[in-house]
Amino acid sequence: MLSSLLLSAGLALMGAGIGAGIVAIGAGLGIGRIGGQAMESIARQPEAAGKVQTAMLIIAALIEVVSLFAVVVCLLIALNAGGLTF
């Protein structure tokens, strides 16, 4: 009984950690791709630099919000598995 409970808590902690890592990698790749494509777009059309930069910043902020939400969910799963509840 106790070993089964500890195993499930350990798996939940491991899953939360892996999930948070995947979220961080995905957000980094997404923002890097946005930045690279924006720089390429500005190089092709320098007169549209303001519009491209504004759109790039808005999309990067949205990616950051989604990734922060996902990391918070992983943290809540880890805390709940460790026995701490809110």
Side-chain angles (χ1 to χ4, degrees), residues 1-85:
M1 175 71 181
L2 182 62
S3 65
S4 144
L5 183 64
L6 289 175
L7 180 63
S8 65
L11 289 175
L13 287 171
M14 190 169 67
I18 291 171
I22 290 173
V23 166
I25 290 170
L29 289 173
I31 291 175
R33 183 164 167 91
I34 290 169
Q37 294 295 319
M39 292 302 111
E40 184 178 336
S41 175
I42 291 172
R44 289 176 186 252
Q45 275 188 319
E47 65 274 2
K51 289 182 180 181
V52 171
Q53 186 177 11
T54 302
M56 177 189 69
L57 290 175
I58 290 171
I59 294 171
L62 290 174
I63 289 175
E64 285 293 324
V65 167
V66 169
S67 63
L68 179 64
F69 179 72
V71 168
V72 167
V73 168
C74 289
L75 180 65
L76 288 175
I77 290 171
L79 289 177
N80 194 15
L84 298 174
T85 56

